[in-house]
Structure formats: structure tokens, C-alpha cells
Amino acid sequence: MNSPTTFPTGDSQAAAAPLDAPATGWQALRAEMREMIVEVWRFRGLLWQLTLRDLRLRYKQAIMGIGWALFMPVLIVGSGALIKYAMAQVGGVEVPLSRLAAMALKSLPWAFFVGAIGFAVVSLVSNMNLVTKIYFPREVLPLSTVLTQCVDSALGASVLAVILFTVAEVQPSWQVLWVFPLVAMIFLFTAMCALMLSCANLFFRDVKYIVQVILTFGIFFTPVFYEPELLGPRGSWLIMLNPLAPLLEGLDVAVIERHNLLEPLMVQSKAGVDIIAWHPLYLLYSAIWSIGGFFLAWLIFHKLEFVYAEYI
């Protein structure tokens, strides 16, 4: 299908190392996964160069420059604050500062997800010259868009941390350490979606339009502007079926509420109904989606990549 490997790799010695022959069943799956990981590691230099290229293209001759890293989160927070203010006016109550801080905290990973998927879904089609002429693991294309978005989000996270712990007066606690596994799962979940959607868009070119619509209205089905308990016991449970919802709520519960994510958290509605605001099973549910889903999506992507050149 492709010409022999000519692209510079990150480790020439690893490139010369033979790969284990796949066996059957579970051993064959392990061997294939090991081959995929080794192959991407060999081409880590290409992955890094593609990430740098995307960063240069994004900021070259841009009016806002590095301000683009903050534009989307600020826009989401502004929209959410306006909605919360309108709801508070109708209910005759005030908007607590902690709820605005929680919304700002959840806006950043949502902006990361939307930005990464928006670029990843067309990553294979927009690099057709590379895909059809040079051999390399195709997954580095969608993964590079996710890494590019990581740089933007890291800048936004730095600014957000200063605002939360100074302006919003969020008290630091040991529960803040939950941010690290939650961010890792958000990254894996985003990478999973990037792999699957870029692959699907290669075979069905209207996928990118469907994704745009879903990303536009997806924020209303993800608890960014609101807390799930506002939807009642059943609505709260249903909204948490969105694999991204427990990860965003976990950030709120751990950082703002300073609650241990290994313990359930109950809240009471105005009608006196007890609602589960957080449960450790939510974390397990999202972990299965993020970790298991990522490797499954990667495996599917890898098995199909040998026919990509025929569909571009």
C-alpha cells in the first residue's frame, strides 16, 4: 500500500528491534497492542513535529495570538454566568461565587474537548498527501491535534488556578490531587473520540458536519452551566451517563466542594428530596470509558489504517 519507511523516527535502535509475532486470543491482542505502542514510540519525533506545526499554524499571523488559549473558556464562562444570572433573577436568589468558580473550572476541560475534537475529526483528510505517500502510524495525526490543544489548555489552566485561589477564594485541600487522574481520563476520553471520529470522517465525509452540530449543542447535555442535581434524581442520573459528565463533576466536587471522590455525596433539593450529587461508581464508569475506550478505539483505528489510502 505504501512505500517503505523514510520518515525520521525518534529512536533508530528501537526501529531495528524485531516485533513479537502475534499468537492467538489474548496473547495475540497483547502482541498487537505492544506493536502499536512501540510503533507510535518509534515515531514520537513525527508526533512532536506535527504538534509544533499545528501550534505554528494556529498562532501565525493571528490577531489574538496566545489570547486564543483563553478566548473559548472565557466565552463559555461568560455565557454560563449570563444564564445563571437570568435563572437567579427568576428564582429571586443570588448566584453564589462558588458556583461561578465551579462553572469556570468545568468550562476549561469542555473547551479542551471541543477544540481537540474540532481539529481531530478532519486530521486524516486534511493530511492526505502524508497518508497516501509516506508510511507512518496514522494515529499520530489525530493525537497531535489533541496534544496541540493540551498546550492551549495548560495556559488556560494556569490563569484559572490563579483566579480560583485568589479572586474566587477557593480553599486548597488534599482533594485537589484528584485533578491529576481526572485530567488524565479527560485526555484519554478526548483521544478516544479523536481516533474514532477522524477514522469515521475518512469513510463518511458528512461526519464532520454531524460532529459540529453535536459539539454546538453538547454543552446543554453536559453539566457545565448547571449542576446535575438541578434536574432531579432521575435527570441527575441520566445526565451522568454522559461519560464526560462525571469527570467534570469530579473536578467540581474535589476542588470546589473539597470532597473525597471515594465517598458518596448527597444533596437535598428544595422539595426535600435526597439526590446523589456524587458516587464513586461515577468515577469507575468514566474510567472504563476513558481507559478501555481509548485502547479499543486505538485498536480499531490501527486495524483500519491499512485501507485509509484507498478512501482518501
Side-chain angles (χ1 to χ4, degrees), residues 2-307:
N2 297 306
S3 59
T5 303
T6 57
F7 227 95
T9 65
D11 191 341
S12 58
Q13 291 182 345
L19 300 175
D20 293 340
T24 58
W26 176 247
Q27 288 184 336
L29 180 62
R30 288 180 57 188
E32 189 163 6
M33 294 298 298
R34 184 166 59 248
E35 175 190 341
M36 291 158 48
I37 295 172
V38 169
E39 194 173 40
V40 170
W41 178 250
R42 285 168 49 195
F43 284 86
R44 64 188 183 278
L46 174 61
L47 179 61
W48 175 244
Q49 290 302 321
L50 288 172
T51 303
L52 290 179
R53 182 201 65 175
D54 291 343
L55 281 173
R56 294 191 191 100
L57 291 175
R58 187 172 299 186
Y59 294 116
K60 186 178 180 181
Q61 294 182 333
I63 296 176
M64 296 179 61
I66 205 69
W68 281 109
L70 304 174
F71 180 70
M72 180 65 82
V74 169
L75 196 62
I76 295 174
V77 171
S79 304
L82 187 62
I83 294 174
K84 279 187 174 293
Y85 177 75
M87 294 173 64
Q89 289 297 308
V90 173
V93 296
E94 295 183 353
V95 181
L97 184 59
S98 62
R99 290 301 87 205
L100 291 177
M103 185 180 60
L105 181 62
K106 293 187 286 187
S107 296
L108 189 64
W110 174 256
F112 164 74
F113 178 77
V114 171
I117 296 303
F119 285 104
V121 69
V122 295
S123 58
L124 288 176
V125 176
S126 59
N127 288 281
M128 62 175 65
N129 289 335
L130 284 176
V131 174
T132 55
K133 294 180 180 178
I134 303 171
Y135 177 74
F136 63 95
R138 301 333 191 212
E139 48 264 49
V140 301
L141 291 171
L143 291 180
S144 68
T145 64
V146 179
L147 290 176
T148 302
Q149 198 64 33
C150 284
V151 177
D152 279 1
S153 298
L155 295 172
S158 303
V159 176
L160 178 63
V162 174
I163 294 175
L164 288 181
F165 293 109
T166 55
V167 180
E169 299 179 348
V170 174
Q171 298 299 318
S173 70
W174 287 110
Q175 307 307 328
V176 172
L177 296 177
W178 279 107
V179 167
F180 297 104
L182 290 172
V183 168
M185 284 191 277
I186 290 171
F187 175 83
L188 290 177
F189 181 76
T190 305
M192 176 197 74
C193 295
L195 289 170
M196 290 304 298
L197 293 174
S198 61
C199 176
N201 186 62
L202 187 71
F203 297 107
F204 307 100
R205 298 304 169 85
D206 58 344
V207 168
K208 61 182 177 183
Y209 303 115
I210 298 173
V211 171
Q212 287 174 0
V213 174
I214 293 175
L215 291 180
T216 300
F217 294 99
I219 195 169
F220 298 107
F221 299 93
T222 309
V224 179
F225 291 160
Y226 57 88
E227 289 72 45
E229 54 266 27
L230 295 178
L231 303 176
R234 179 169 296 182
S236 173
W237 180 78
L238 287 175
I239 205 69
M240 293 298 261
L241 290 178
N242 177 351
L244 201 54
L247 300 177
L248 302 188
E249 276 305 300
L251 290 173
D252 178 10
V253 172
V255 178
I256 307 299
E257 303 294 337
R258 292 180 292 169
H259 183 81
N260 186 357
L261 297 187
L262 295 179
E263 299 176 357
L265 176 64
M266 302 293 293
V267 296
Q268 200 170 54
S269 68
K270 290 184 177 179
V273 179
D274 289 332
I275 301 174
I276 301 176
W278 175 261
H279 197 282
L281 289 178
Y282 290 156
L283 192 64
L284 177 63
Y285 174 71
S286 287
I288 293 173
W289 267 97
S290 302
I291 302 172
F294 170 72
F295 284 104
L296 179 61
W298 191 0
L299 185 64
I300 295 173
F301 187 99
H302 179 72
K303 286 184 174 295
L304 292 175
E305 69 177 353
F306 300 102
V307 298

